[in-house]
Amino acid sequence: MHAWPASEVPALPGQGRDLRIHDTATGGLVPLVPGPVARLYVCGITPYDATHMGHAATYNAFDLVQRVWLDTKRQVHYVQNVTDVDDPLLERAQRDGVDWVALAEQETALFREDMTALRMLPPRHYIGAVEAIPGIVPLVERLRDAGAAYDLDGDVYFSVESDPHFGQVSRLDAAAMRLLSAERGGDPDRPGKKNPLDPMLWMAARDGEPSWDGASLGPGRPGWHIECVAIALDHLGMGFDIQGGGSDLAFPHHEMGASHAQVLTGEFPMAKAYVHAGMVGYDGEKMSKSRGNLVFVSALRRDGVDPAAIRLALLAHHYRSDWEWTDQVLQDAVDRLDRWRAAVSRPDGPSAEALVEEIREALSQDLDAPAALAAVDRWAARQDTGGGTDTGAPGVVSRAVDALLGVAL
Ligand code: 5CA
Ligand code: ZN
């Protein structure tokens, strides 16, 4: 699949800083020192509805990761998937009487437009589940041949007990796992499973549903977790730097994915850090396609809201906190954007050297974007009161805000 166009990332004076980031698997901050090529996998959308502010907030967090790494002069190999076949997509297509392929294509196209407008840097590989199927089938066969997967009425399940490290991503107890498994696409109550938590790797063809050649597995379609694992291993290999997504993916998705990969390769861990963004709510509940309490990026854009203001609204919240989208959040971002644009269009201002370092420092400490915004606010306020005559400063601020925060002033 093609991704979307990259906006330019200006080079900044001085040295970028390495990232310390919160890792769900250890429960604390870990210093990441990637090689010359940093490797990032971020779970992509299931394209049955438009991009909402929750999605945008999660992709914003990992866009900051890329920008911090680029500032350290590393290359970034960023991979993202599109879950372009799965139960929720098929169910929505059925409900609305539309073709599921057309629905996925239409929503993926809209996502690309939203990401471009928000200046999110594109992945280097943007891979759909459907196009990954030829690579998924042999992985499932290998797991089965190794005794880590078993057949149940034609479907193939992964045995969580085959991974001695199972549980080390989310660090949840069995009861919590069971509850979340039922809520998030699992089938803990299906009779015949070895362990209620075992996730499906391959679903045998169902009447009226699309299916693909599965070689020795028979016709069917892939499970959700093996999709991301096949794509990550194919394009990044084991031991990549960050596996990312929203906090609702820690269990079961990232837990199961790590187990699949670890059993397949015999290596541990799959990723050096498992990074999870908080949930954005609206009207008192998590914003979600299934609840329908959504604020869409595309709808705001249609209403004439500047995408840079949307981006500033996301950046005003720490990526790990859960927060609520409100009209006031957007209004504050619009006001801040006005102040910043006025500031960088003046002929001079206070020196920007210290500010660039403050933004770098804030982002390197677990992506503290609110602290970075506060530093820019202080610079603009000092300029307002006539503090400084550096004619290069407004340009440096504008480039730093663009390069490190993805906001074009
Ligand atoms: N296709 C799978 C991942 S392989 C999936 O979860 N798709 S999704 O469309 O449901 O979500 C895409 C990303 O947005 C995921 O990382 C998810 O955790 C994140 N996300 C979904 N809802 C919210 C929300 N309300 N707030 C923050 N992030 C969210
Ligand atoms: Zn995923």
Side-chain angles (χ1 to χ4, degrees):
M1 255 188 207
H2 67 283
W4 54 92
S7 49
E8 217 184 299
V9 182
L12 298 176
Q15 276 284 310
R17 296 188 192 199
D18 280 330
L19 184 61
R20 277 157 55 84
I21 197 154
H22 186 271
D23 169 30
T24 304
T26 50
L29 294 187
V30 292
L32 283 181
V33 187
V37 179
R39 293 175 294 165
L40 170 67
Y41 186 93
V42 179
C43 283
I45 53 162
T46 305
Y48 66 89
D49 214 336
T51 322
H52 60 61
M53 299 316 302
H55 301 133
T58 289
Y59 296 112
N60 178 57
F62 296 99
D63 190 66
L64 296 179
V65 169
Q66 275 219 74
R67 290 173 183 278
V68 169
W69 281 338
L70 291 173
D71 188 39
T72 63
K73 307 284 182 278
R74 289 184 175 89
Q75 279 188 54
V76 182
H77 281 199
Y78 174 23
V79 180
Q80 192 182 121
N81 68 303
V82 186
T83 308
D84 59 358
V85 61
D86 202 3
D87 294 341
L89 171 68
L90 298 175
E91 282 159 17
R92 176 63 61 93
Q94 172 93 22
R95 188 198 80 178
D96 295 352
V98 296
D99 174 43
W100 65 275
V101 175
L103 176 61
E105 278 175 1
Q106 172 195 317
E107 298 303 348
T108 306
L110 187 57
F111 178 71
R112 290 189 188 98
E113 283 173 28
D114 289 336
M115 292 294 106
T116 308
L118 293 173
R119 290 174 90 78
M120 306 281 182
L121 297 170
R124 186 184 167 105
H125 298 284
Y126 192 46
I127 311 285
V130 171
E131 61 183 324
I133 290 173
I136 294 173
V137 170
L139 297 188
V140 177
E141 290 177 320
R142 263 169 54 198
L143 285 169
R144 194 193 48 191
D145 295 347
Y150 59 94
D151 189 279
L152 183 57
D153 300 332
D155 299 327
V156 182
Y157 279 88
F158 176 74
S159 181
V160 294
E161 275 140 36
S162 63
D163 176 23
H165 298 289
F166 176 74
Q168 292 186 16
V169 172
S170 62
R171 299 178 307 134
L172 296 170
D173 62 32
M177 285 186 183
R178 195 177 166 128
L179 270 175
L180 288 176
S181 160
E183 268 174 36
R184 298 177 179 166
D187 55 2
D189 298 322
R190 180 169 176 178
K193 288 171 67 172
K194 290 188 179 163
N195 182 313
L197 298 174
D198 291 346
M200 207 184 271
L201 289 165
W202 187 256
M203 182 195 270
R206 308 285 201 262
D207 275 352
E209 286 190 1
S211 63
W212 288 265
D213 178 14
S216 71
L217 309 171
R221 61 182 164 98
W224 174 29
H225 319 305
I226 193 70
E227 165 198 341
C228 284
V229 168
I231 296 169
L233 291 183
D234 191 19
H235 294 284
L236 297 174
M238 280 301 270
F240 55 90
D241 294 286
I242 290 182
Q243 159 72 298
S247 58
D248 58 341
L249 297 190
F251 192 89
H253 189 49
H254 291 166
E255 186 77 65
M256 298 300 177
S259 276
H260 293 350
Q262 284 151 193
V263 173
L264 275 165
T265 63
E267 292 170 40
F268 175 84
M270 178 184 78
K272 293 186 186 125
Y274 296 85
V275 177
H276 294 110
M279 289 291 116
V280 180
Y282 186 56
D283 283 345
E285 282 202 86
K286 171 191 160 187
M287 210 180 274
S288 79
K289 290 181 266 205
S290 46
R291 285 198 185 86
N293 58 336
L294 304 171
V295 176
F296 294 122
V297 174
S298 46
L300 292 178
R301 291 199 289 121
R302 255 197 321 274
D303 289 348
V305 177
D306 189 326
I310 302 176
R311 181 103 194 208
L312 275 181
L314 305 173
L315 290 162
H317 301 85
H318 191 272
Y319 82 95
R320 272 204 294 135
S321 51
D322 296 333
W323 55 281
E324 183 82 8
W325 178 266
T326 62
D327 292 345
Q328 191 59 47
V329 165
L330 181 59
Q331 190 54 52
D332 290 347
V334 168
D335 294 344
R336 176 175 265 140
L337 185 62
D338 284 348
R339 285 200 309 276
W340 289 12
R341 284 199 169 138
V344 299
S345 59
R346 291 195 184 135
D348 56 20
S351 161
E353 243 171 71
L355 171 60
V356 173
E357 293 315 312
E358 279 179 278
I359 301 174
R360 280 182 166 139
E361 177 59 18
L363 292 182
S364 73
Q365 298 300 330
D366 203 24
L367 305 175
D368 193 347
L373 300 199
V376 181
D377 286 343
R378 284 195 299 274
W379 180 85
R382 275 203 306 279
Q383 189 205 39
D384 231 9
T385 52
T389 54
D390 183 341
T391 52
V396 172
V397 172
S398 171
R399 281 196 294 282
V401 165
D402 187 359
L404 296 171
L405 301 171
V407 176
L409 293 178

